[in-house]
Amino acid sequence: MTGWAKSRYTIGMNAYPELRLRRVRRTAGIRALFDLEIPGPAKWCWPMFVVPGTSIKEEIASMPGQFHWSVDRVCEAVEPVVRQGIGSVLLFGQTDRTKDNGGSPAWDDRGVVQQAVRVLKRAFPGLTVMTDVCLCAYTSHGHCAPLRPDGSIDNDAACDCLSKVALSHAAAGADVVAPSAMMDGQIAAIRTALAENAFDDTLLMAYSTKFASACYGPFRDAEGSAPQPVPGAPTDRKGYQASFANPRNALLESALDEQEGADILMVKPALFYTDMIAAVKARTLLPVAAYNVSGEYSMLIATARAGWGDLRELVRESTLALTRAGTDLIISYWANRYDELLA
Ligand code: PBG
Ligand code: ZN
């Protein structure tokens, strides 16, 4: 026997064998007393894909469990999500109109995002409806901005286009508009446009720290939004999305977005960037969202399908990484399976 039996008074018991950390881990009940919890469904946002056409519900090949929905079926898509208590959805759209250099179908009031917002706000008044504000699914070349004749990115023209998109979403009733184009000045431009049109209550969620990531592949597949080859134009988005090797620049971007009038800051992708979530959180008093992107989603599905890991365990462990880092709002494709994977 060691320990208590040896002496009546033990001074400084903060070491083995008196101190044993396994005590707080021994039973599920004790662990639960001290463990952080997976955020409840109200803290989640489900990104969903709306497409032109009717009676469409088509699984996205690169994102098993996620679907393309036509507007007439978006309520069917969202009803089970609302039933699980998920607090918000984030809408992505496409167009069957001719795409052009400025992405003008993106601010068509009859576009599928604008229609879906109206339908969802009527059917689920308590649901917070967010919209992605970008041009890449609507431009002929797949960039998030118009191109100049020499193929270069026209940043300031993009800010005008993005303001029109945000206004059309706000007019349709979107609670939150979320610009993702990573153009300089886009937050100031959109905040000004909203103010000038009396959309004082529309929240502005800045994809403030959006990295040029290889994890967007499945999404670009789903949206048909990858950059196309154009003479003189960039072949990727590294000239506007943040460099994952330059964290100071990325943090400056989030500070600027806050100054320009963002209500919510976002880090994207999420799991490869938990350090950035923590760093942004340490520098702001705004809420911080994390976007658990398509590549991060499909990676775990592929692992589970190969029999190399348990999906529920993988999803829960990775989700808790976001909570530890300080995430306030989790934007994730897992949200439509909350009861099965996260409850
Ligand atoms: C469009 C946009 C992208 C994503 C959200 N908005 C793709 C991109 O920047 O190419 C990625 C979402 C995901 O991968 O889940 N600007
Ligand atoms: Zn884009």
Side-chain angles (χ1 to χ4, degrees):
M1 271 297 266
T2 56
W4 291 106
K6 262 201 241 158
S7 69
R8 189 163 288 274
Y9 303 105
T10 307
I11 296 167
M13 289 183 297
N14 55 346
Y16 175 85
E18 290 85 4
L19 182 68
R20 291 171 184 264
L21 294 185
R22 285 187 49 244
R23 284 180 197 132
V24 296
R25 302 182 195 139
R26 189 172 54 87
T27 70
I30 295 170
R31 288 193 299 275
L33 292 174
F34 305 109
D35 277 0
L36 292 172
E37 289 188 322
I38 288 180
K43 307 288 187 187
W44 289 66
C45 174
W46 182 51
M48 63 174 294
F49 299 94
V50 189
V51 292
T54 51
S55 55
I56 295 168
K57 176 190 176 182
E58 264 168 22
E59 191 164 33
I60 298 166
S62 54
M63 302 177 70
Q66 304 301 317
F67 296 81
H68 283 132
W69 303 89
S70 51
V71 173
D72 58 323
R73 295 187 75 168
V74 290
C75 289
E76 178 191 330
V78 169
E79 194 276 328
V81 171
V82 168
R83 196 165 8 91
Q84 293 173 76
I86 298 298
S88 59
V89 295
L90 173 61
L91 302 181
F92 290 93
Q94 288 185 39
T95 185
D96 53 9
R97 290 182 43 193
T98 309
K99 299 183 182 186
D100 57 28
N101 183 43
S104 69
W107 60 84
D108 178 355
D109 283 332
R110 291 152 304 168
V112 295
V113 169
Q114 290 83 350
Q115 288 186 52
V117 170
R118 288 190 203 100
V119 167
L120 289 174
K121 285 309 290 183
R122 200 174 314 127
F124 309 101
L127 178 73
T128 298
V129 175
M130 312 189 177
T131 58
D132 182 81
V133 173
C134 204
L135 304 171
C136 49
Y138 302 88
T139 52
S140 45
H141 40 72
H143 279 290
C144 306
L147 300 179
R148 296 196 192 90
D150 67 356
S152 63
I153 297 290
D154 195 341
N155 184 100
D156 298 7
C159 289
D160 293 338
C161 298
L162 291 164
S163 299
K164 290 183 201 165
V165 179
L167 277 181
S168 78
H169 292 177
D175 299 295
V176 182
V177 293
S180 62
M182 291 299 287
M183 293 297 129
D184 286 327
Q186 64 179 14
I187 299 299
I190 293 170
R191 177 54 82 204
T192 304
L194 290 172
E196 285 173 356
N197 290 274
F199 291 113
D200 296 336
D201 294 331
T202 307
L203 283 106
L204 189 38
M205 176 164 71
Y207 282 70
S208 61
T209 312
K210 175 176 178 179
F211 291 95
S213 172
C215 291
Y216 306 147
F219 173 97
R220 288 182 195 169
D221 232 33
E223 281 285 275
S225 62
Q228 302 302 305
V230 173
T235 54
D236 58 30
R237 304 203 202 288
K238 291 185 176 161
Y240 40 103
Q241 297 179 346
S243 165
F244 53 76
N246 194 342
R248 288 165 55 81
N249 181 263
L251 288 175
L252 192 50
E253 180 86 45
S254 69
L256 274 180
D257 282 0
E258 177 162 357
Q259 280 176 23
E260 289 183 24
D263 299 296
I264 307 164
L265 301 178
M266 186 213 291
V267 175
K268 172 189 176 179
L271 295 175
F272 287 14
Y273 296 91
T274 53
D275 60 328
M276 300 306 299
I277 297 171
V280 169
K281 183 82 178 220
R283 284 166 176 78
T284 186
L285 292 173
L286 295 181
V288 175
Y291 194 146
N292 182 206
V293 301
S294 60
E296 297 175 320
Y297 171 84
S298 299
M299 232 182 278
L300 297 197
I301 294 207
T303 300
R305 286 196 170 179
W308 296 334
D310 177 78
L311 186 63
R312 185 176 152 91
E313 296 296 329
L314 290 165
V315 170
R316 297 173 72 82
E317 184 176 338
S318 54
T319 294
L320 214 81
L322 305 183
T323 298
R324 276 200 313 274
T327 305
D328 297 299
L329 173 71
I330 301 176
I331 303 168
S332 173
Y333 302 99
W334 302 121
N336 70 339
R337 296 169 74 178
Y338 190 92
D339 284 350
E340 173 196 352
L341 299 172
L342 294 151

